[in-house]
Structure formats: structure tokens, C-alpha cells
Amino acid sequence: MAISVLFWLSMAASPGLFGESANRLTADEVAEGWRLLFDGTSVDGWRGFRRQTFPHHSWVLEDGCLKNLSSPRKNSFLRSSLRRLKHKLAGRRRRDLITLARYEDFDFRFEWKISPGGNSGVKYFILEERGRAIGHEYQILDQSRPDQDPDKKTAAFYDVLPASNNEIRGGEFNQGRIVVCGDRVEHWLNGEKVLEYRSGSEELKAGIQDSKFNDVPGFDESIRGHLLLQDHGDVVWFRNLKVLDLTGRCE
């Protein structure tokens, strides 16, 4: 019997897999089937949630990164009110980013840096048919934010399950990773697996029951959905976004 795909991928979880050059795949990664989701120079492959276009008013390209701009609410009340009204009239509401493709079994790796006091996240199992950007979320949070519950800290399944370690490199790029293989889901932070859960498990159902997602039908299930970068109104940078489709590779 072949060695478990998850085991093999875990052995390859060293920081070197991300590469020293941003937004590039190595020859080995290409051979393994990895796909680059962002090349550092274009926004091809991404669009706004429930939009067919890219929300350039809240996301920009900067130094080989996808950068989420600060929300108007971070400025003075008058300026923020005027900017929100201007954006609303122009049909330019702030938007999360989603991939064009959907994924079910996958290994998604990304690097991120968060601004001081910032909050963001990476979501998966996203369905636009739900009307809202509801999915399982890999939380991203600057550690200077005080008094956060364990299930709301970095690398946690936001509001549902805590991560075993949430120490980040403040002001630097960190490495995130989400693996979904069958009913098994893993969150990784800087080369360390910090959370593992199984879709449909009693542990997951209990966590959901105590969360704000307890009224979302089927929220404990793994589904084929989009990957999402959250627009939470705080400055955050993403780069080295790559995915390996594990369809047919999970036991």
C-alpha cells in the first residue's frame, strides 16, 4: 500500500518548500503538480466574492504581494463616511478575494504578513450560493491584539477550534498551510502542524455548536469550494500562494 499522502506531504513541510524566490515554483514542485495562484505581477486567477471582477479599490499589487488596503473606518469619522458613500455609489464595496477554481482535497500554502493590530484570515469551502463569505477560516491575527479567545488566535479554525501554537513573527512574513484530504483537515504555521480535525466528527460539531456558525446547514462538512483571502479592513500582505490538488490521492 502506498504511503499516506498526508504523511508524505508532512515530510515536505520545511520552510524551504516555499522557495527563496517569491512567487515561483521549483522544478520539483511543477513535477509534483503544484499550481501557482499568484505570480506577483497580475491578479489573474482571483476575483471579488460574488463579483466577476477584481476589487482594485481595496486590493493592490505591491512588491510582489497581494496587499489588502486599510478600510476607511480606520480614518476619521467624516473621511470614512464620505469614502464609504463614494464607494457605495460607485458600486465598489470592499470585497474578499476568491480563487476562480474550487477545491475539495488540496494542500494550500501561502505566506502572509499582518500590520500591527491587524486581523485577517484565509477561508476555504466557500460557496457563493450561500450569499455570505461563510467557510472554515484559518485565522490571521497580530499578537498585539489583547484578550483574544484561543479559537480566535492565529492558525485557529476561527471561533470553532483553537490551534496548539499561535506564535507569529511580528512584522515579518509567516508561512501558512491548509491541508484537506478526505475528512481530515490540518492547519500549519511556520512549518509546524498546529491543528488537526475531521469533518463530521463530534469534536467539530461541538465546536460549531458553541460558535456563531451553529445555524449554518452542513457547516461541519468538507465541500468543494473556493479559497478566499479575507478583506477585514486591516493591511495584510500575501505572497507565495500555491496549491496542490489532492483529488484521487487521499486514502
Side-chain angles (χ1 to χ4, degrees), residues 5-6 9 103-108 124-125 136 177-187 197 199 222-223 227 244-247 250:
V5 171
L6 282 172
L9 290 172
Y103 302 91
E104 185 171 6
D105 292 316
F106 60 87
D107 186 342
F108 178 42
Y124 47 106
F125 304 152
H136 295 198
R177 181 185 180 200
I178 301 165
V179 182
V180 178
C181 208
D183 65 354
R184 184 182 300 181
V185 182
E186 298 177 356
H187 286 189
Y197 67 91
S199 298
S222 293
I223 58 176
L227 305 176
L244 178 64
D245 191 334
L246 298 179
T247 302
C250 297

Side-chain angles (χ1 to χ4, degrees), residues 182-232:
D183 65 354
R184 184 182 300 181
V185 182
E186 298 177 356
H187 286 189
W188 292 67
L189 175 63
N190 292 326
E192 176 187 356
K193 184 169 68 174
V194 295
L195 174 61
E196 180 178 324
Y197 67 91
R198 290 188 177 274
S199 298
S201 67
E202 293 305 314
E203 175 195 26
L204 180 57
K205 290 178 180 179
I208 293 172
Q209 186 60 39
D210 291 335
S211 78
K212 66 180 183 180
F213 307 110
N214 56 18
D215 61 346
V216 180
F219 196 68
D220 64 316
E221 301 172 0
S222 293
I223 58 176
R224 179 174 294 276
H226 300 277
L227 305 176
L228 178 149
L229 306 182
Q230 187 179 42
D231 178 351
H232 202 279

Side-chain angles (χ1 to χ4, degrees), residues 8-117:
W8 178 84
L9 290 172
S10 297
M11 295 299 100
S14 65
L17 191 65
F18 286 81
E20 296 181 1
S21 299
N23 307 312
R24 295 183 181 179
L25 294 177
T26 66
D28 287 343
E29 287 173 330
V30 172
E32 291 163 5
W34 287 88
R35 180 188 174 196
L36 197 63
L37 293 179
F38 174 61
D39 66 4
T41 62
S42 75
V43 297
D44 293 346
W46 297 89
R47 61 179 175 84
F49 177 75
R50 304 197 77 190
R51 286 292 183 273
Q52 294 305 310
T53 56
F54 187 91
H56 290 280
H57 57 282
S58 55
W59 292 86
V60 297
L61 297 177
E62 180 181 279
D63 298 329
C65 297
L66 278 171
K67 179 183 178 181
N68 188 206
L69 299 175
S70 177
S71 169
R73 73 172 182 270
K74 304 298 180 182
N75 303 315
S76 70
F77 175 77
L78 178 60
R79 281 193 299 165
S80 66
S81 297
L82 290 174
R83 287 184 63 185
R84 283 198 298 270
L85 177 60
K86 179 181 178 181
H87 285 173
K88 183 177 181 179
L89 292 175
R92 297 194 304 171
R93 291 178 56 192
R94 298 184 67 91
R95 294 284 171 180
D96 298 322
L97 293 186
I98 63 170
T99 55
L100 299 185
R102 297 187 184 192
Y103 302 91
E104 185 171 6
D105 292 316
F106 60 87
D107 186 342
F108 178 42
R109 307 191 185 194
F110 51 96
E111 289 186 339
W112 57 271
K113 181 172 67 172
I114 191 76
S115 56

